Amino acid sequence: MNVFNKNMLGGLIGAIILNVIHSAAKRFDTEAPAIDEVGEEAMKKTVQAAGFEPPKGNALLAATFGADIASNAMLYTMIGYGGDKHILLRGALLGTVVGLATLTIPEQAGLDAKPIKKTERTKIMTVSWYIIGGMAAALAIKAMRRKG
């Protein structure tokens, strides 16, 4: 497997772990961020702006989930560029930057940020989970490199 494929697969692993954490936490903690709600609003507005009827129900959930996994996987793929020496640090730093951006970009884009900014604890969870996703991607990429 070439470097690009290892980085992409590692990024995908990080994105999946991020989404699993988000989904599980929402079921057990009322203060957990509901990033999916922000994503659904963004999907609806984007599709409408393109002149189409936005999906509804399960189709909206699936489209939003797919877009979220794809975009986070692409972001986490960047962790693999730059060698092994500081890969975990890159994973943590990229996760931090993406997590902080997640707290600021929705409002700038005209979206309701309440689902991810309910409380200070919600904000901390949002950033922390992006860091975990970044570190998971870094560890996956590093493990694949060791196997050759």
Side-chain angles (χ1 to χ4, degrees):
M1 186 181 312
N2 66 34
V3 170
F4 177 76
N5 290 339
K6 289 176 184 176
N7 292 346
M8 280 298 296
L9 183 55
L12 179 62
I13 289 168
I16 289 169
I17 288 173
L18 168 66
N19 278 274
V20 166
I21 292 170
H22 279 141
S23 296
K26 274 183 55 174
R27 298 188 196 298
F28 299 106
D29 189 339
T30 58
E31 288 187 25
I35 292 180
D36 54 327
E37 292 176 20
V38 177
E40 289 170 18
E41 181 186 4
M43 178 66 69
K44 287 179 195 174
K45 286 185 174 185
T46 301
V47 172
Q48 285 174 333
F52 298 99
E53 183 69 27
K56 295 177 180 150
N58 287 337
L60 176 61
L61 293 173
T64 303
F65 180 75
D68 190 44
I69 290 286
S71 62
N72 286 317
M74 287 188 289
L75 285 167
Y76 288 149
T77 295
M78 294 188 298
I79 294 165
Y81 294 99
D84 281 340
K85 189 172 182 185
H86 300 290
I87 195 164
L88 289 175
L89 178 60
R90 279 196 310 276
L93 289 174
L94 183 75
T96 301
V97 169
V98 174
L100 292 172
T102 299
L103 293 177
T104 59
I105 290 174
E107 290 171 328
Q108 294 172 3
L111 302 172
D112 178 13
K114 276 187 253 163
I116 56 174
K117 294 174 99 173
K118 297 176 213 172
T119 66
E120 289 303 311
R121 194 164 153 259
T122 306
K123 294 175 192 176
I124 290 168
M125 283 188 267
T126 297
V127 176
S128 297
W129 295 339
Y130 278 96
I131 293 169
I132 291 168
M135 295 195 66
L139 289 169
I141 293 165
K142 191 171 184 177
M144 285 185 278
R145 287 179 179 173
R146 286 191 185 144
K147 293 206 178 231

